[in-house]
Amino acid sequence: LVLHMYSACGALSDARSHFDQMQEGTRNEYTWRIMILAYTHADIDHSSSSTSTSREVALRLFQEMQAKSVVADRLTFITLIVLCSNRPRGQVYLDAGKRVHYLAFIRSLDSDLVLGNALISMYAKHNYIQDARSIFDHMQSRDVVSWNALITAYSGEGQWTEAMEVFKMMIHKGFIPDRLTFIGIFTALTSQLALEDGMSVHNLLCRSKCKNDVAVNNALLSMYGKCGNVNDGRTVYDKILKQDKVTWNAMIGGYSQNGFGLDALCLFQ
């Protein structure tokens, strides 16, 4: 309880001090998870003068946990996979993520829905799209988060045909797109060749609860600009009730990219 209190209050140094003073037999998977989670959420390691980031400390704690034969639970694995989605030192986190994935597989936890979603995102953020797709294809159950993760993965790599294929499959399977689905697919459709697909998704959006979402409409507006359809983009722009800087930039960018410099200038002024 004391350890959890320190962690919840952001007192990382106090939490680590209390953890280090605990007798060996009193540390269990719960206490290890609290410390790993605390370091994962912290910006830097306040408990030492080391230049190691808190996330690196979290990975070392997991290694210590394994060395002491403490069995990690599913929440610890999920926390570590999310941690390994961090990319400043890509290969370090990718290798660690693969190790955590392997250990989760050994414990038959790879069938867990939340863990599977986290694995898709992790591999996608490290540009291992085939691995992300393999995780998706072998999932025993999926939710909207699963579909969004794969669509976003393809979107991030500019693979709009694959993203659209997954989107259509999602609809066919009876899943209802949410705001992140629409943002992901509109972000993927950035070629004139994708305009027809983009317009069909727009029609679907018009019947969705997300039709007035500003972020979704900003993504739609940006898509029309990048696909060369400035007129429909302007229609979307005019219908956005609460325009923000992203809205303005998307419309100005659409004009500029398609040779409407004067219109872009007038809108800017």
Side-chain angles (χ1 to χ4, degrees):
L1 289 177
V2 175
L3 183 62
H4 183 269
M5 178 196 70
Y6 283 137
S7 175
C9 293
L12 185 55
S13 297
D14 292 327
R16 183 57 188 262
S17 178
H18 182 78
F19 178 81
D20 289 341
Q21 293 175 18
M22 293 176 68
Q23 294 183 359
E24 204 67 35
T26 61
R27 293 180 186 171
N28 54 27
E29 62 184 37
Y30 177 68
T31 55
W32 282 94
R33 170 158 47 88
I34 288 177
M35 284 309 308
I36 290 172
L37 189 61
Y39 276 112
T40 300
H41 288 167
D43 290 328
I44 57 173
D45 175 16
H46 293 290
S47 68
S48 73
S49 58
S50 170
T51 58
S52 297
T53 69
S54 59
R55 296 188 177 199
E56 291 169 343
V57 177
L59 290 175
R60 288 203 299 269
L61 276 173
F62 180 67
Q63 293 174 345
E64 292 177 30
M65 182 182 181
Q66 296 295 300
K68 294 181 182 299
S69 301
V70 180
V71 179
D73 59 11
R74 63 178 290 274
L75 292 178
T76 303
F77 280 110
I78 291 170
T79 298
L80 289 164
I81 290 298
V82 172
L83 179 155
C84 291
S85 298
N86 183 283
R87 292 183 59 183
R89 294 183 61 187
Q91 195 60 44
V92 171
Y93 289 115
L94 176 61
D95 291 343
K98 287 181 175 180
R99 173 64 178 169
V100 175
H101 182 190
Y102 172 72
L103 293 172
F105 174 79
I106 291 177
R107 292 203 54 206
S108 300
L109 290 172
D110 58 324
S111 60
D112 182 89
L113 175 61
V114 179
L115 180 62
N117 291 341
L119 283 168
I120 294 173
S121 294
M122 183 199 75
Y123 281 117
K125 288 181 179 179
H126 288 284
N127 301 324
Y128 278 61
I129 306 300
Q130 290 184 343
D131 293 86
R133 182 59 188 257
S134 179
I135 297 293
F136 179 85
D137 289 340
H138 288 89
M139 293 178 76
Q140 297 177 7
S141 61
R142 303 183 185 115
D143 59 9
V144 174
V145 177
S146 315
W147 294 94
N148 288 350
L150 190 58
I151 289 171
T152 301
Y154 282 127
S155 175
E157 290 298 298
Q159 300 180 25
W160 68 266
T161 53
E162 290 82 357
M164 195 62 200
E165 171 200 338
V166 175
F167 180 79
K168 290 177 179 178
M169 191 188 312
M170 175 186 183
I171 301 300
H172 179 72
K173 295 286 186 180
F175 288 88
I176 299 174
D178 63 11
R179 64 190 302 271
L180 294 180
T181 314
F182 284 113
I183 291 171
I185 194 64
F186 286 139
T187 302
L189 302 174
T190 58
S191 163
Q192 288 187 352
L193 297 174
L195 180 58
E196 184 177 348
D197 282 330
M199 295 178 75
S200 68
V201 178
H202 184 186
N203 288 333
L204 183 62
L205 172 64
C206 290
R207 304 191 298 273
S208 164
K209 294 180 180 179
C210 303
K211 62 182 179 181
N212 293 321
D213 186 283
V214 176
V216 171
N217 279 281
N218 286 343
L220 172 61
L221 172 57
S222 180
M223 180 211 75
Y224 274 127
K226 291 176 180 177
C227 290
N229 191 337
V230 178
N231 290 334
D232 282 341
R234 182 61 195 235
T235 300
V236 172
Y237 172 86
D238 289 336
K239 289 182 178 180
I240 297 177
L241 300 177
K242 296 182 179 180
Q243 298 170 346
D244 57 18
K245 290 182 179 180
V246 178
T247 314
W248 288 80
N249 288 339
M251 191 67 247
I252 292 172
Y255 278 138
S256 300
Q257 293 164 14
N258 292 283
F260 296 90
L262 183 59
D263 295 275
L265 182 60
C266 290
L267 191 61
F268 177 77
Q269 292 175 337

